[in-house]
Amino acid sequence: MNSKEDFYSSVIARSPIGYAYHKIICDDEGTPCDYEYLEINPSFEKLTNLKGFDILGKRITEIMPKIKESEFDWIQFYGDIAIHGGNKEFEQYLEILNKWYRIYVYSPEKYYFITYFSDISKEMKIINEHKKMEKAIKEAEEKYRTIADYAHDWVTWEDEEGKFKYASPACERISGYTADEFEENKSLFYSIIVESDKEIWDHHRHEAREGSEINSEQFRIRNKDGRIVWIEHTCRQVIDKEGKYLGYRSNNRDITSRRKMEEALKTSEEKYRFLTEYTSDVIWIFNITKKRFTYISPSVFYLRGFTAEEAMNETIEEALTPESVVVVRDAIAKTINKFIENPDEPICYINEIQQPCKNGDSIWVEVSTKYRYNSDEEIEIIGVSRNIEERKKAENKIIYLSYHDQLTGLHNRRFYEEELNRINIEDNLPITLVMADVNGLKLVNDAFGHLAGDDLLKKFSTILKNQFRGEDIIARVGGDEFVFLLPKTDRAKAERIVKRIKSSIAKEKGDKTILSVSFGWATKNTINEEFGNIYMQAEDHMYRQKLLESMSVKSKT
């Protein structure tokens, strides 16, 4: 396929418009009886919920057996275009998929046709809703002569004596009483007000009578069936041109559902406020646009020693250690564009950072974060911070034990082998490898017990820690064996170091045991030399020394 074909294939594959390539199947008489799916793009799958691996190479009657039962003969329609050519664009509701589509179809060659289509269900829904609304308004206008007669609210008119002169039909739906009942009984409305709310009503009416402004109040009534209904009562006194009081014009709206929602929202807010304020984790919101915290739960006091107000006044730089500021900034830079591209994708990010405490310490926290847009279309980070100080200590202890010898505190063989690869570079040449073996350790263990042997190893380890440089690597690689890697150290310098260690060993006095160590060393001068050979040379040197020294140590022990 040439580059131009690749380009058009890529366009089709990435197009938001559904694309499908078909072949018409005809019977023996040449009449279209079916069609087959040959190619589709991803948007086709998304718009129809039909996957390529389920439909490609299959006929429409296999995929949708009821296609022939539909009101519109799709097979014949597409067959005419595929056989005779041409193109058509139209809008159609597909009952099988329960969607409206705008479809464009044409035939590139005989017996084949291509369809492009897009989902216009939302557009058609809006159009249909507008049509229904227009129809309802027209019917209402034809049915009722006044707005009050078909208003959703219960509209009333009272004369100067408080007698109902008019009550709209909605009064029966809201109160259960008919308009005639209200017009016949002057005190009926007051009698159905819940007893504890009558004081609200009296005060409301007094204010309405004293002024000409519209007054609004909420109270409860008990309808004819005994059900409590919340009413939002809005009224205004009516005065003629001469200033004579004529009565009240009022509007009563059933707000029971709204009040229930408000109560449910209040309960929900109290529940979540309780969760955020009393959970041990710290819940917070940081406005990226304004670069400040807009909420921090009170539990921050138990985490860091700051009150919520103090923590909210901190900048991001003050709320984190310098190293964690870098971590957080990098994390935001790497993830915020994903959110902007797809705000609805539920992605949560987890990072481990350190925060300063009020007492000057710092604490490790695990932070779970998610982006969102607030009501002002500003990007915010919602976060939950959890204290992981103990976990980090445990992790650090595990890491320490994995690279250190538990008895002596020196590094172990694993650390030595990993560091060997790290320092084996030309800049560190010459590198001297020193091997040391504690003489007579088995004899000490057998004669005085393992605690005496352990004490001997600890003494030697202490000497080593005091004699070596920070860049030197000291490791216990066996029961009585130690290895030292000395970068930028030639043979002569290594000999001086060993001599200094032997001098320190000679000063050690023990009640029952004698500290004696045999040393051997070899130096790597060129990068091409194998460390394996250096190790063997040092080991041979060490064993020669051991043969000379061990009999004397055994005898003294």
Side-chain angles (χ1 to χ4, degrees), residues 101-112:
Y101 292 93
R102 180 173 289 114
I103 302 171
Y104 174 78
V105 56
Y106 81 97
S107 173
E109 59 180 307
K110 192 172 184 180
Y111 297 111
Y112 294 86

Side-chain angles (χ1 to χ4, degrees), residues 523-534:
T523 303
K524 177 175 178 173
N525 294 299
T526 63
I527 196 65
N528 294 326
E529 290 180 85
E530 292 291 337
F531 248 117
N533 294 331
I534 301 299

Side-chain angles (χ1 to χ4, degrees), residues 150-163:
Y150 67 82
H152 182 76
D153 296 343
W154 168 15
V155 181
T156 64
W157 165 263
E158 301 169 57
D159 64 15
E160 63 275 14
E161 297 178 356
K163 184 178 180 180

Side-chain angles (χ1 to χ4, degrees), residues 140 144-157 166-171 173 179 249-252:
Y144 303 107
R145 290 175 298 174
T146 64
I147 296 176
D149 282 349
Y150 67 82
H152 182 76
D153 296 343
W154 168 15
V155 181
T156 64
W157 165 263
Y166 170 78
S168 68
C171 72
R173 176 178 56 78
R249 185 178 64 211
S250 64
N251 189 82
N252 300 282

